Amino acid sequence: MAATAAANGPECPATQVVGADGEMDGAAMERFAAAAGLASRGLSYVVVSIFGPQGSGKSTLLNHLFGTSFTEMDALKGRNQTTKGMWVAKAVGIEPFTVVMDLEGTDGRERGEDDTAFEKQSALFALAVSDIVMINLWCHDIGREQAANRPLLKTIFEVLMRLFSPRKTTLLLVIRDKTKTPVEYLAQALTEDIQKIWDSVPKPEVFKEAALSDFFNVDVTALSSYEEKEELFKEQVGKLRNRFINSIAPSGLAADRRGVIPASAFCISAMQIWKVIQENKDLNLPAHKVMVATVRCEEIADERLQSFMSDEGWLELEAAAKSGPVTGFGMKLSAIVDSYLSEYDMEAMYFDESVRTVKRQQLESDILHHAYPAFETVVKHLHCTVLDKFKSDLEQSLRTGGRFAATARYCAQSSLVEFDVGWRDAVVKHVDWDGTSIRNKLQQHVEVHTESVRSAKLDELKATYEKKLLDALSGPVQSILETGNRNSWASIRRLYRRETENAILRFLNSLSEYELDQTASAQMVLELREYARCTVEKKAREEAGNVLMRMKERFSTVLSRDKDSMPRTWTANEDIRSITREARLAALRLMSVMAAVRLDEKQDKIDRALMISLLDGGPLSQKRSIEFTSDPLASSTWQEVSPKDTLITPVQCKSIWRQFKAETEYPLAQAISMQEAHRRSSNWLPPAWTILLLAILGFNEFVFFLRNPVYILGLFLAFVLSYAVWLQYDITAYFRNGNVSGLLTISSSLLPTIMEIVTAIVNMTHNKKHSSHMSRAGPHHAQSFSNQTRKHAQVHYHASPDSASSSSSVDSNSDNES
């Protein structure tokens, strides 16, 4: 603090401006103002004053807070009056300039019962000249009628409005020797007391409707004990000191600067105010005996409250309440409260009745307030027990097959009855605690749980029927769409309506046990119907995404199989152009079916637009200029079809068809090639005119052959050899792929075949010579030779089936010749 003083100029010592006799020393005031340099401050200064009970540490607080040098009480020499009259000093190290006033303590024994006039005058003066008035209060005095200065404040409010035009003053309530009670509770109590005092004060007509906040800013702070917790006290005072720095700022303690007089006129103004206060003789305080009754009854009530809080019976009851439900809690607590109220009545029976009654009510309220947390705990246990039982009963009843609405209603009513019984057992007779809110909270939790279970059950029921609809619609819709018939969507509509209506009837029957209102039921039915529609649309969109693949499959099926679903043979009689058109028409109809969703039975021209625009040639293409003035596929939407129902746009259809035609050219080319090959293989004989020309030109050669048998025999052998070769090979198959390919294949296999035939003929001749020899040798040898010959022929047949067949033909011819 000394360092702070050195940094802010020379220290100004404290000056007594009002003596113990109540006379103001104007000269001393002038000297203080001159020494402190007050006159040059203009409006930039603040006046802070403090008053409170004698010996409450006002001077000590000011010295630590502002760095002043007021005389402090020496506790070792007894608790007596230290500050007499009024003293002023300058705060050290605080801007703006701060004038600190230390007032004589109230309730001092030195002045006796005659001190009330000076107390009222000094307090009124402090309120009149100060921007910030600090009221020093003991923490244990909060709530006391006299110690809290309630009568004094009431009188000051009345006189201040009667003598002066009130200015907005900050009342800073400083709670000393703070206990464990939270500051928020203490602040609330003090603020409410001041508000009540203000409301009860008679006001001039001009301030009849004025609020306390129009004249005062009430603030509360708390400090620990200086003697017991000195370091903590200094730390808290340091934080409080920061609030006085720049206190005239808009958010500071002395923010309201209305009515502030210049600093040069402060001394004259203060002396004039004191003079007016001294001339007023009609101020008085409550009677002394009322004050004594107030203090003593409060002491008795505090003793009884402390005894209750340490009572073994109460502590056991409180512990039992924390561990679980307590049977007879209200009756046990009522007995304990009655005992302590009786003790209070015995000790306070001779004091003022009005004060005694008020303090008794306060004691009863404090005891019940202290006991309320335990009561609240008991009620919470009751709430949880009842709610858990409701959940268990509801689940058990539903598991056994009970109808939901009736079961939930019965279990809820039973739970509320059980709660009412438990509530009556827990309440005490001294206060009518309202259980409506707690009961309503329980009822709300019951309803929330019921609604939660109902929602889960309904979701489960809805999911079940959605699964049934999915199974009933998904597969059949896909199958119908794959057919690509004109009436595909008519079949889908019939399927959709039938399955949806059946599901809705069963769904409504299942909903009856939940007793839903008509709106909710209708909404769920609408959602189920919408789900069915979405299922159909989803499946249609899936199929539309594979439309190109489906079209190619349909085209391939129609192209490669006949009406009996047998593989088609591309003979010369097959009309490839007609079959191709039929296959493309089938594919185009499939794309038409998948181009849009048609669940609403609206007529459209998608099929006709596709036929006219995409199918080349034919009567439909010729009518395009008649029905459509422009290309119907040069658009992103279909006529009479909403965008949400469109699966394939016209532009996409055109692109898909172009890709489809490109990817189906290969099987079409294969079919044409196969038909051409078949035609060539069927026409292996030369033309008729060639045969006729050969007959005319070769007549002489024919006659020559008839006249020479040798040539006829050679021609016969050549025929036999050619026939054998024909049987050995599928000559027609060789020439299907072209003449050159057939000739090369035959030439490569001709020589081995001729060698096999010659070998067979030689073997047959050899066998014939031996057969005659064996016939002379005996029948046994002939039979053995015959078996060997047959075995040899079989082996040769298995080795070369084709050659065997040829050999067989030759053998049979040879036998005939023999």
Side-chain angles (χ1 to χ4, degrees):
M1 196 68 69
T4 305
N8 292 275
E11 181 178 351
C12 181
T15 304
Q16 186 178 30
V17 293
V18 176
D21 56 356
E23 294 297 326
M24 177 171 282
D25 188 351
M29 178 72 78
E30 294 288 352
R31 287 195 299 273
F32 164 77
L38 176 61
S40 62
R41 291 292 177 167
L43 298 179
S44 181
Y45 74 101
V46 176
V47 180
V48 180
S49 61
I50 187 171
F51 67 90
Q54 178 178 303
S56 60
K58 299 186 300 301
S59 301
T60 303
L61 174 60
L62 294 178
N63 290 339
H64 284 84
L65 185 59
F66 298 105
T68 55
S69 56
F70 296 117
T71 304
E72 298 179 11
M73 181 188 70
D74 188 356
L76 298 178
K77 296 181 180 180
R79 306 191 68 84
N80 49 25
Q81 189 180 44
T82 303
T83 302
K84 297 180 180 181
M86 285 185 288
W87 293 67
V88 295
K90 174 190 173 185
V92 178
I94 293 181
E95 285 294 334
F97 188 100
T98 302
V99 178
V100 183
M101 296 179 59
D102 188 10
L103 278 64
E104 180 178 323
T106 60
D107 298 331
R109 65 180 180 178
E110 286 78 7
R111 289 186 180 271
E113 294 185 359
D114 295 331
D115 69 333
T116 56
F118 181 79
E119 292 175 2
K120 289 180 284 186
Q121 291 174 352
S122 59
L124 187 56
F125 177 77
L127 285 172
V129 301
S130 302
D131 299 288
I132 304 172
V133 176
M134 302 172 61
I135 303 177
N136 212 34
L137 300 173
W138 293 114
C139 183
H140 59 267
D141 283 345
I142 294 178
R144 294 181 178 179
E145 184 73 9
Q146 187 64 26
N149 298 297
R150 294 175 63 185
L152 180 60
L153 287 172
K154 181 177 179 180
T155 304
I156 291 172
F157 290 160
E158 293 175 349
V159 176
L160 179 63
M161 288 187 293
R162 182 165 54 86
L163 295 179
F164 317 107
S165 177
R167 58 181 299 187
K168 191 140 184 178
T169 305
T170 297
L171 294 182
L172 180 58
L173 308 179
V174 182
I175 302 173
R176 304 295 297 277
D177 295 357
K178 182 176 73 70
T179 60
K180 295 181 179 180
T181 304
V183 179
E184 292 79 7
Y185 294 157
L186 300 175
Q188 182 178 359
L190 290 175
T191 304
E192 289 175 356
D193 286 344
I194 293 178
Q195 183 64 46
K196 291 178 182 179
I197 296 172
W198 176 262
D199 293 338
S200 64
V201 170
K203 304 176 182 65
E205 193 64 29
V206 66
F207 300 125
K208 199 68 176 178
E209 300 297 330
L212 176 64
S213 59
D214 295 336
F215 304 99
F216 299 98
N217 294 321
V218 181
D219 200 352
V220 180
T221 188
L223 301 175
S224 299
S225 173
Y226 173 71
E227 296 179 354
E228 298 176 1
K229 302 176 181 179
E230 183 176 354
E231 295 300 323
L232 181 58
F233 172 85
K234 291 181 179 179
E235 179 182 350
Q236 292 170 347
V237 168
K239 294 180 180 179
L240 180 60
R241 174 184 173 87
N242 293 332
R243 299 186 62 186
F244 288 87
I245 297 175
N246 199 19
S247 57
I248 63 175
S251 60
L253 291 175
D256 190 355
R257 307 303 293 162
R258 294 175 299 173
V260 177
I261 63 173
S264 58
F266 174 78
C267 296
I268 300 175
S269 175
M271 289 186 289
Q272 184 64 29
I273 289 173
W274 181 253
K275 179 180 178 182
V276 173
I277 290 175
Q278 280 190 316
E279 292 175 354
N280 186 29
K281 305 298 182 180
D282 58 353
L283 300 179
N284 51 50
L285 295 173
H288 181 70
K289 64 175 184 178
V290 174
M291 183 190 66
V292 173
T294 300
V295 174
R296 183 55 187 151
C297 288
E298 189 172 276
E299 289 178 353
I300 297 172
D302 289 342
E303 291 173 359
R304 299 285 74 77
L305 179 61
Q306 294 300 323
S307 298
F308 166 79
M309 295 172 63
S310 59
D311 184 88
E312 293 184 2
W314 158 244
L315 295 177
E316 292 177 0
L317 186 63
E318 185 180 29
K322 293 180 180 179
S323 61
V326 179
T327 304
F329 177 86
M331 183 177 61
K332 296 176 182 177
L333 180 58
S334 297
I336 297 174
V337 173
D338 285 339
S339 64
Y340 285 101
L341 290 178
S342 299
E343 292 179 5
Y344 171 84
D345 292 337
M346 290 297 295
E347 293 189 38
M349 60 184 302
Y350 297 109
F351 291 102
D352 182 82
E353 183 178 1
S354 61
V355 176
R356 184 177 71 243
T357 303
V358 170
K359 295 305 176 182
R360 188 185 191 277
Q361 295 174 351
Q362 184 64 39
L363 172 62
E364 183 180 19
S365 176
D366 291 343
I367 291 177
L368 294 177
H369 177 75
H370 183 76
Y372 186 77
F375 169 78
E376 196 174 34
T377 303
V378 172
V379 174
K380 288 181 179 178
H381 287 309
L382 176 63
H383 177 279
C384 295
T385 302
V386 173
L387 184 59
D388 291 342
K389 188 175 184 300
F390 165 77
K391 295 179 180 179
S392 176
D393 292 347
L394 179 61
E395 182 180 358
Q396 184 65 27
S397 299
L398 293 178
R399 191 180 294 116
T400 56
R403 295 179 66 83
F404 182 86
T407 301
R409 187 163 47 248
Y410 173 77
C411 292
Q413 292 174 352
S414 301
S415 298
L416 292 177
V417 170
E418 183 179 355
F419 176 81
D420 292 338
V421 174
W423 173 267
R424 288 192 294 270
D425 182 69
V427 296
V428 295
K429 65 180 181 179
H430 301 86
V431 62
D432 186 17
W433 281 325
D434 185 14
T436 304
S437 60
I438 302 177
R439 190 179 189 275
N440 291 340
K441 187 176 181 180
L442 172 64
Q443 188 173 4
Q444 181 182 2
H445 287 173
V446 168
E447 292 174 354
V448 168
H449 181 72
T450 302
E451 185 61 30
S452 174
V453 175
R454 179 188 287 109
S455 298
K457 294 290 184 182
L458 289 176
D459 290 343
E460 181 180 351
L461 182 65
K462 182 181 176 183
T464 300
Y465 279 92
E466 287 179 350
K467 179 65 167 57
K468 292 180 179 179
L469 277 174
L470 181 64
D471 296 340
L473 293 175
S474 183
V477 168
Q478 180 179 354
S479 178
I480 295 172
L481 288 174
E482 288 176 355
T483 62
N485 296 330
R486 290 179 179 273
N487 61 345
S488 294
W489 277 106
S491 302
I492 291 175
R493 285 193 295 268
R494 289 193 295 271
L495 173 69
Y496 163 72
R497 290 167 183 167
R498 182 180 67 251
E499 297 297 336
T500 303
E501 294 303 326
N502 292 339
I504 287 176
L505 287 176
R506 295 192 298 269
F507 184 65
L508 286 174
N509 185 46
S510 301
L511 283 181
S512 60
E513 70 171 281
Y514 294 93
E515 297 182 5
L516 299 177
D517 56 70
Q518 187 175 0
T519 303
S521 299
Q523 180 63 28
M524 295 194 71
V525 169
L526 181 62
E527 291 175 357
L528 187 63
R529 192 184 300 276
E530 185 65 22
Y531 177 81
R533 184 182 181 94
C534 291
T535 299
V536 175
E537 292 181 354
K538 181 180 179 181
K539 182 53 64 175
R541 293 187 186 278
E542 290 178 1
E543 292 302 312
N546 299 324
V547 64
L548 181 60
M549 180 184 69
R550 301 294 185 194
M551 289 171 64
K552 291 191 293 185
E553 291 176 355
R554 177 60 55 83
F555 178 84
S556 178
T557 301
V558 176
L559 185 68
S560 61
R561 294 186 178 272
D562 57 18
K563 296 181 179 180
D564 297 328
S565 297
M566 297 298 293
R568 192 185 299 277
T569 302
W570 293 107
T571 63
N573 297 328
E574 296 287 348
D575 186 359
I576 291 184
R577 180 178 296 276
S578 177
I579 294 173
T580 301
R581 180 179 177 78
E582 181 182 355
R584 287 179 176 176
L585 182 61
L588 195 60
R589 284 208 176 98
L590 180 63
M591 183 166 65
S592 173
V593 169
M594 295 186 181
V597 176
R598 300 176 178 90
L599 289 177
D600 297 328
E601 292 190 76
K602 294 181 180 179
Q603 297 298 325
D604 58 67
K605 298 180 180 180
I606 296 178
D607 185 72
R608 194 160 186 81
L610 291 176
M611 298 299 174
I612 292 175
S613 300
L614 300 180
L615 201 60
D616 297 331
L620 292 177
S621 181
Q622 297 172 4
K623 295 180 181 179
R624 171 175 175 177
S625 60
I626 300 175
E627 295 191 28
F628 300 96
T629 57
S630 61
D631 186 0
L633 300 187
S635 174
S636 61
T637 58
W638 297 104
Q639 294 182 6
E640 302 175 355
V641 177
S642 63
K644 69 181 183 65
D645 291 334
T646 300
L647 302 179
I648 308 174
T649 64
V651 175
Q652 290 174 337
C653 286
K654 202 169 186 178
S655 175
I656 292 172
W657 183 255
R658 188 182 303 111
Q659 185 177 357
F660 163 76
K661 290 185 67 176
E663 294 182 7
T664 55
E665 287 295 332
Y666 178 72
L668 184 59
Q670 278 188 325
I672 295 174
S673 299
M674 292 173 66
Q675 188 182 50
E676 184 65 26
H678 188 275
R679 183 181 294 111
R680 287 196 302 266
S681 64
S682 300
N683 298 332
W684 59 276
L685 292 176
W689 64 271
T690 307
I691 297 174
L692 180 60
L693 183 62
L694 289 175
I696 295 173
L697 297 178
F699 180 76
N700 294 331
E701 287 77 4
F702 180 70
V703 173
F704 174 77
F705 274 103
L706 290 178
R707 291 178 178 177
N708 295 278
V710 178
Y711 287 103
I712 295 175
L713 179 62
L715 185 62
F716 176 76
L717 291 177
F719 171 76
V720 170
L721 181 61
S722 300
Y723 183 72
V725 173
W726 181 272
L727 294 177
Q728 181 72 17
Y729 297 98
D730 189 2
I731 301 301
T732 304
Y734 289 159
F735 282 94
R736 286 177 184 172
N737 297 324
N739 295 331
V740 177
S741 176
L743 291 174
L744 291 176
T745 303
I746 293 174
S747 62
S748 63
S749 304
L750 183 60
L751 182 60
T753 302
I754 294 174
M755 294 299 296
E756 290 178 1
I757 294 174
V758 172
T759 303
I761 293 173
V762 172
N763 290 336
M764 290 175 61
T765 305
H766 179 74
N767 290 338
K768 190 173 182 180
K769 290 181 180 180
H770 280 279
S771 63
S772 60
H773 174 73
M774 292 301 296
S775 63
R776 291 193 298 269
H780 181 270
H781 292 283
Q783 182 68 28
S784 175
F785 179 79
S786 176
N787 292 340
Q788 291 178 2
T789 303
R790 186 180 299 109
K791 182 176 181 181
H792 178 77
Q794 290 176 355
V795 170
H796 179 75
Y797 175 79
H798 286 297
S800 180
D802 295 339
S803 62
S805 61
S806 302
S807 301
S808 299
S809 302
V810 175
D811 291 344
S812 44
N813 293 334
S814 301
D815 291 341
N816 292 336
E817 290 178 3
S818 302

